[in-house]
């Protein structure tokens, strides 16, 4: 156990402090005048150097790299394991406020653009990676030693695409939402699927908690202050994660009727309502 060490002032005199022979203790030798002068010079030089370093740091002009890396270290919290963490890279991206390649009416070309965002998103991971996940996943029948998984962002994109399709039921009649209580099985599936998707997107947005600041700016044309959504955000590079998923894409079709028992025991994190 650590014990505080008694501190005695070097120059303190204690009348009760006597030697064994009763004589007063000898006074410590004083440093010479030259030694004191050298010590003072060294201290002064070190102080000036420290002050100069502080002034240079405070008054230097921040570079672009400084501005974007100032808050690059994440806060201290527990990050759940994901084998895709190795593919995470960040970038500064300005959101489109009014125009985008996805601002198109329904068409086969638009459908393909959306589908390409999450195509091949079902991946295969090793048993070692599966054992480190916070939730248990299934082994892939016919692909010995590999387990099925999917990046959450792909499921969110899938859900958002289905909501988009439901907004134009004339073009996508299979995704028409029923408001009747007398659902036929297909209507019930579509409606409940969309409810699930809408709530999943809500949870994904709240989970990621984008702290980028939307701003208001003066607009000379309308002579008013207007809301501006095309601002800079700190983003994870989508193409890096997409490339990781394609490298780990499943090589066999999943047979959901086959269950392979294994010895993986990990905590099952329940869904929070």
């Amino acid at each position: 156990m650590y014990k505080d060490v008694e501190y005695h002032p070097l120059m303190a005199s204690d009348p009760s402090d006597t030697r064994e022979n009763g004589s007063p203790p000898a006074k410590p030798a004083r440093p010479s005048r030259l030694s004191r002068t050298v010590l003072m010079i060294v201290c002064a030089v070190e102080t000036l150097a420290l002050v100069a370093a502080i002034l240079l740091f405070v008054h230097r002009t921040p570079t672009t790299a400084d501005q974007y890396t100032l808050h690059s270290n994440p806060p201290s919290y527990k990050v759940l394991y994901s084998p895709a963490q190795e593919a995470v890279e960040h970038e500064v991206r300005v959101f489109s406020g009014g125009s985008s390649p996805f601002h198109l009416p329904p068409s086969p070309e638009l459908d393909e653009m959306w589908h390409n965002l999450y195509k091949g998103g079902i991946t295969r991971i090793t048993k070692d990676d599966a054992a480190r996940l916070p939730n248990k996943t299934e082994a892939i029948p016919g692909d010995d030693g590999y387990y099925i998984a999917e990046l959450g962002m792909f499921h969110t994109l899938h859900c958002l695409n289905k909501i988009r399709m439901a907004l134009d039921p004339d073009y996508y009649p299979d995704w028409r939402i029923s408001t009747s209580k007398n659902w036929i099985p297909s209507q019930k599936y579509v409606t409940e699927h969309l409810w699930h998707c809408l709530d999943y997107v809500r949870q994904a947005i709240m989970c990621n908690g984008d702290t980028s600041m939307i701003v208001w700016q003066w607009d000379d044309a309308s002579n008013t202050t207007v809301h501006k959504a095309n601002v800079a955000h700190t983003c994870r590079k989508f193409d890096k994660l997409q490339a990781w998923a394609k490298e780990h894409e499943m090589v066999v079709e999943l047979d959901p009727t086959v269950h392979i028992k294994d010895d993986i025991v990990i905590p099952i994190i329940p869904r929070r309502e």
Side-chain angles (χ1 to χ4, degrees), residues 152-157 159-160 196-210:
M153 70 175 188
F154 289 136
H155 184 64
T156 304
L157 285 169
C159 273
L160 189 59
H196 151 76
C197 276
L198 187 63
D199 197 51
Y200 194 90
V201 172
R202 173 192 67 81
Q203 293 178 80
I205 294 171
M206 294 175 67
C207 175
N208 286 281
D210 187 359

Side-chain angles (χ1 to χ4, degrees), residues 177-178 181 183 190-200:
I177 300 176
S178 174
K181 294 294 184 181
W183 287 328
V190 169
T191 303
E192 291 187 344
H193 189 157
L194 289 170
W195 284 350
H196 151 76
C197 276
L198 187 63
D199 197 51
Y200 194 90

